[in-house]
Amino acid sequence: ECGGVRLRASIVGARRTAEELGRAFPAVPVRTSGRDHVLTSVPDRPALVVSTPGAEPIAEGGYAAALLLDGWALLGRPDLRAGEDALRHWLEAASLVRGHGEEDAEGRGGTVVIMAEPTQRPVQALVRWDPAGYAARELAERSQLGFPPISRMAAVTGPAEAVAELIASAGLPEGAETLGPVPLPPAPPGRPRRPGDPPTGEVWERALLRVRPGQGGALAAALKEAKAGRLARGEKDPAVRVDPLDIG
């Protein structure tokens, strides 16, 4: 729309962001925190700190400002917990910024700027500093849909035939529901294989098993017994995770 002819990545990562900021502010030190190099703290001196979510170092005296980037990417993950995870990361980062009762020597408090659609519910919860209200509304909606924490879930992932056979052979608790299976999205090209990713060239599926509160132990026991039987027969064993973090 702007008529430009050059390409630029929409998300460049903390290290690349630090390099760009270093060129924009050549006289200001730039520190990075994340992955294989996490800082625990930074001194009370002028600097730019670029951090991945969850790896923010503590600044002596608090940060003067925080810029929360890539909000659309955090909120756009295809997962039920995307909103709560994003809000948790934002609150953790914002809590490291000086409050308005903690002004510096020049009487200035801290500032937090978030780059995200302002009408999104997690963004509004951050602006109002109201995580309790956000959690209450999320709980009410999940209660209507039967999603955790109102229910207990387990994810079964692997080749389609192995997933179907494991579920069929498991003595699931009464009233257990099966959601799916659905094909797993392929890993992005060039990304190293992560635990839980299908081998190159294979298409895996994922099914979610849902039971009522109080049946989590019975669900885990049934899946454990079914897995043990398949291992004893030398059959392909799909991965099983009770209370999966990702349930999108």
Side-chain angles (χ1 to χ4, degrees):
E1 293 182 1
C2 66
V5 296
R6 293 183 301 171
L7 298 178
R8 185 182 186 281
S10 57
I11 300 179
V12 296
R15 186 165 298 178
R16 180 69 178 275
T17 301
E19 292 174 358
E20 294 183 359
L21 289 173
R23 290 192 294 268
F25 302 94
V28 181
V30 180
R31 298 181 173 87
T32 59
S33 179
R35 298 191 65 176
D36 54 347
H37 181 64
V38 178
L39 301 175
T40 57
S41 63
V42 290
D44 186 13
R45 292 195 295 270
L48 294 171
V49 179
V50 181
S51 171
T52 55
E56 301 90 348
I58 297 174
E60 298 177 9
Y63 287 100
L67 176 60
L68 308 176
L69 300 173
D70 300 330
W72 64 271
L74 290 174
L75 295 176
R77 290 192 304 113
D79 184 71
L80 180 69
R81 293 190 172 104
E84 69 178 80
D85 287 343
L87 179 58
R88 174 171 54 84
H89 287 308
W90 293 338
L91 291 170
E92 289 173 349
S95 67
L96 301 177
V97 178
R98 283 196 302 262
H100 283 278
E102 303 169 327
E103 288 82 0
D104 59 12
E106 299 180 7
R108 294 173 299 188
T111 301
V112 177
V113 178
I114 181 169
M115 305 299 293
E117 170 57 48
T119 60
Q120 292 274 9
R121 189 186 303 169
V123 179
Q124 287 297 310
L126 174 67
V127 171
R128 297 193 306 269
W129 204 258
D130 183 27
Y134 176 84
R137 186 166 180 179
E138 282 287 303
L139 181 61
E141 292 188 355
R142 293 186 195 183
S143 299
Q144 297 176 1
L145 298 173
F147 279 114
I150 300 303
S151 63
R152 298 292 299 277
M153 279 190 171
V156 182
T157 307
E161 184 178 357
V163 171
E165 291 177 352
L166 176 67
I167 295 175
S169 64
L172 299 177
E174 181 180 357
E177 299 177 80
T178 301
L179 308 179
V182 296
L184 283 182
R191 191 193 75 182
R193 185 186 175 196
R194 298 175 180 174
D197 286 348
T200 304
E202 289 192 21
V203 178
W204 280 10
E205 292 187 347
R206 185 183 195 223
L208 293 174
L209 303 175
R210 178 168 61 186
V211 296
R212 298 188 302 272
Q215 292 183 316
L219 174 63
L223 292 173
K224 181 179 180 180
E225 183 177 351
K227 280 176 62 71
R230 292 183 62 81
L231 286 173
R233 295 189 296 270
E235 298 172 334
K236 284 189 176 181
D237 187 35
V240 174
R241 182 164 187 175
V242 179
D243 295 329
L245 295 178
D246 301 321
I247 53 178

